[in-house]
Every structure is written in C-alpha cells, then in structure tokens.
C-alpha cells in the first residue's frame, strides 16, 4: 500500500509528463498527450496474502499486472528457485479465477515450471511471461525452454523478451546484437504475433544494495538463491529512453516494418485487449 501511495503521489505531482494507465484507452490518451503511461504491476502476489477479496482492492487502485510468485513459494504457487515446485495450489486456482474475472494480467516470469504449466492450462484467460530469456541460449533457472514458450503461446499467451544481462550468454558483455539474437530465437520458436519487448529494465535506484538483496535472497533476507554478479546493460539499452535504438537494429537484420511495429507495441496492445476489461 505504501508503494501504491508513492506512485499515486508521483502521478499527481508530475501530471504534466506522466499518467496512470488503467486500460487501453488510457494508453491512447497518454500517446496523444505525449505523456509516459505507467501501468502498476506486482512481481509477487504476496501483497494480497491469503485474502481473495484484497485482489479487487488492488485492482481498483490500478494494479493491472500480477506475477504469481517471485522466485520462491507463496500462498498460490511455487517459484523458479524452489527445490520442489508443488504447482498451483487450490487457493492459487481461486486467485487465478478472481484475476480472470477482474481482467488482471497474470505474469509467470519468476514462477516455477510446474506452477507455470498448471496456470497456463487452468486459466480461462491467456497468461504471459512478461520478461524472460530463452534457456536454449543460456541455461538459467529464470530462463524458459522452447517447450515452455510453445506451451504458453499455444494456449493464447504472450512472451516478453528481456535484456537483463545475467540471463544472456555473454552476461555483462552482452551487446544489442545479443539481445536481438534472444528475441529472434523466441520468434523462431513461437512466431511473431505473441512476442514483445520486455526488458526488465532497472533504473539506478532498483540496483541499490537493499534492492539487490531482495532479488537474490528468499523473501529478501533468507537463503541465497542466486548472484547477479556484475550487472551492465547492453550499450544502447541502458534506460527506457534507449528503446528507439531497437528500430535501426531490427532494420539492419532485415525485419519488415510490420514485424518491428508488432514487437515494439502492437502485439502487447492486442494481448492486453484480450485480458483487460474496458
């Protein structure tokens, strides 16, 4: 609630350049007004604890994307770093039903393989991986196999491809070309219509020591799950202002204008239109 309140204040105090996005119409309004549209989202459903009625409360505040788990288990499912992934719980199924009813995007990026598969097959609304990389190019607990990618898209889902350096074969030495390789691999596996940008871009404050600890330890303080090592984004993709650099990159690779526009936003709009309520 403190974080939501912080963003509400940010929107109010900077209303000349930013606005909160609740639906597709707001995205169009943000573009027309030359503002940055911001969608609030969670990387863990721990915020509503074991209360299904809290889901609607946060939905009404504008939390329109909810990742089921962040690396480890919670009330609804298992995480990608759990030794044993027990799958989607019975409570988790009720939570998915409620998120389907309200029109909340269900994110499975940090979710365990079995829990993700359970959710993909159970959800009545297409779900997504908002920010992943292919394990075919680098084995990593957070990366997704070709079969996992096919499964989510075969069930109407969506895949956002990340440039987070630890998931790249070259790590901190990765370039924009390496990011393009990851994107093209995913497109070659599932096609160009259900794939989009999903950088997992973190600004300087998100890489502060206390933030990093939350990312590498269970619940932010317990057992160590992983080590990010040196985090250096590819040159030319180090802030949200660098997104336009992807256009000439894709053009050099011979992408059609149609494919570029789909990846950079049209596919996302189509998917969100299937999930979000008007």
């Amino acid at each position: 609630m403190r974080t939501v309140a912080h963003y509400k204040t940010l929107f109010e105090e900077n209303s000349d350049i930013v606005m909160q996005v609740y639906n597709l119409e707001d995205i169009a309004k943000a573009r027309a007004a030359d503002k940055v549209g911001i969608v609030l989202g969670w990387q863990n459903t721990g915020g509503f604890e074991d209360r299904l009625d809290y889901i609607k409360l946060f939905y009404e505040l504008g939390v329109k994307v909810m990742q089921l788990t962040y690396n480890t288990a919670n009330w609804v499912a298992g995480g990608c770093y759990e030794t044993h992934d027990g799958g989607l719980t019975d409570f988790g199924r009720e939570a998915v039903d409620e998120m389907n009813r309200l029109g909340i995007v269900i994110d499975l990026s940090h979710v365990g393989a079995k829990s993700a598969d359970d959710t993909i097959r159970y959800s009545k609304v297409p779900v997504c991986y908002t920010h992943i990389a292919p394990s075919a190019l680098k084995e990593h607990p957070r990366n997704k196999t070709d079969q996992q990618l096919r499964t989510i898209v075969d069930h109407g889902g969506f895949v956002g491809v990340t440039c987070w350096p630890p998931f790249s074969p070259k790590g901190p030495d990765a370039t924009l070309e390496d990011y393009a390789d990851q994107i093209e691999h995913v497109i070659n596996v599932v096609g160009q219509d259900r794939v989009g940008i999903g950088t997992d871009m973190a600004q300087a404050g998100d890489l502060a020591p206390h933030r990093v600890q939350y990312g590498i330890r269970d619940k932010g303080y317990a057992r160590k799950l992983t080590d990010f090592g040196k985090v250096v984004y590819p040159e030319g993709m180090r802030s949200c202002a660098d997104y336009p650099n992807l256009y000439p990159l894709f053009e050099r690779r011979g992408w059609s204008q149609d494919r570029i526009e789909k990846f950079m936003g049209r596919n996302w709009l189509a998917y969100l239109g299937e999930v979000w309520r008007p």
Side-chain angles (χ1 to χ4, degrees):
M1 288 298 292
R2 282 193 299 269
T3 303
V4 172
H6 164 76
Y7 272 95
K8 295 290 186 178
T9 301
L10 181 149
F11 298 144
E12 183 176 346
E13 293 181 348
N14 300 276
S15 60
D16 56 325
I17 57 172
V18 300
M19 61 176 283
Q20 185 173 358
V21 167
Y22 294 86
N23 49 45
L24 288 182
E25 183 180 350
D26 286 338
I27 295 177
K29 288 179 180 178
R31 294 192 66 172
D34 197 26
K35 295 182 180 182
V36 175
I38 297 178
V39 183
L40 295 184
W42 280 349
Q43 288 207 83
N44 195 340
T45 53
F48 60 70
E49 301 173 337
D50 58 353
R51 292 290 299 270
L52 293 173
D53 51 347
Y54 283 8
I55 302 176
K56 185 178 181 182
L57 296 181
F58 283 101
Y59 168 80
E60 291 178 345
L61 291 171
V63 181
K64 304 302 293 289
V65 181
M66 292 185 181
Q67 183 173 266
L68 294 189
T69 68
Y70 186 76
N71 295 337
T72 55
N74 61 18
W75 289 274
V76 303
C80 63
Y81 285 108
E82 284 289 348
T83 303
H84 172 70
D85 174 13
L88 190 66
T89 65
D90 290 341
F91 175 76
R93 287 177 171 78
E94 291 187 90
V96 167
D97 288 340
E98 181 66 355
M99 286 186 269
N100 285 173
R101 184 184 73 84
L102 293 169
I104 295 171
V105 170
I106 295 175
D107 181 12
L108 303 173
S109 299
H110 288 250
V111 176
K114 184 180 187 309
S115 292
D117 191 70
D118 287 351
T119 306
I120 291 167
R121 297 175 189 280
Y122 178 78
S123 179
K124 299 175 182 63
V125 177
V127 297
C128 74
Y129 294 126
T130 62
H131 56 294
I132 60 87
S135 62
L137 300 186
K138 180 177 181 177
E139 281 291 338
H140 192 286
R142 266 280 285 112
N143 290 352
K144 307 303 178 186
T145 67
D146 289 354
Q147 185 55 55
Q148 286 175 296
L149 298 174
R150 291 190 192 98
T151 297
I152 198 167
V153 171
D154 285 348
H155 287 77
F158 191 89
V159 180
V161 186
T162 180
C163 62
W164 177 247
F167 302 159
S168 169
K170 294 183 182 178
D173 297 321
T175 66
L176 272 184
E177 295 290 345
D178 296 310
Y179 182 36
D181 287 342
Q182 293 173 292
I183 294 166
E184 289 187 339
H185 178 88
V186 175
I187 289 176
N188 289 337
V189 172
V190 302
Q192 67 178 21
D193 295 329
R194 307 299 283 187
V195 180
I197 190 169
T199 62
D200 200 15
M201 185 67 69
Q203 304 302 312
D206 295 319
L207 295 176
H210 72 285
R211 295 277 192 177
V212 171
Q213 287 302 305
Y214 190 85
I216 67 175
R217 291 186 178 276
D218 189 357
K219 312 300 183 289
Y221 69 89
R223 65 188 175 97
K224 192 171 184 179
L225 306 170
T226 186
D227 191 347
F228 292 152
K230 184 180 180 182
V231 177
V232 179
Y233 285 97
E235 186 175 353
M237 187 51 62
R238 291 179 177 169
S239 84
C240 297
D242 290 332
Y243 283 10
N245 293 337
L246 293 175
Y247 286 92
L249 171 69
F250 297 147
E251 289 171 349
R252 290 195 301 270
R253 288 185 168 233
W255 284 30
S256 67
Q257 193 64 29
D258 182 59
R259 172 180 278 194
I260 294 174
E261 290 177 2
K262 282 184 174 181
F263 179 81
M264 293 298 291
R266 276 171 43 201
N267 285 346
W268 266 118
L269 291 175
Y271 169 69
L272 294 174
E274 296 170 10
V275 181
W276 285 352
R277 299 289 178 263

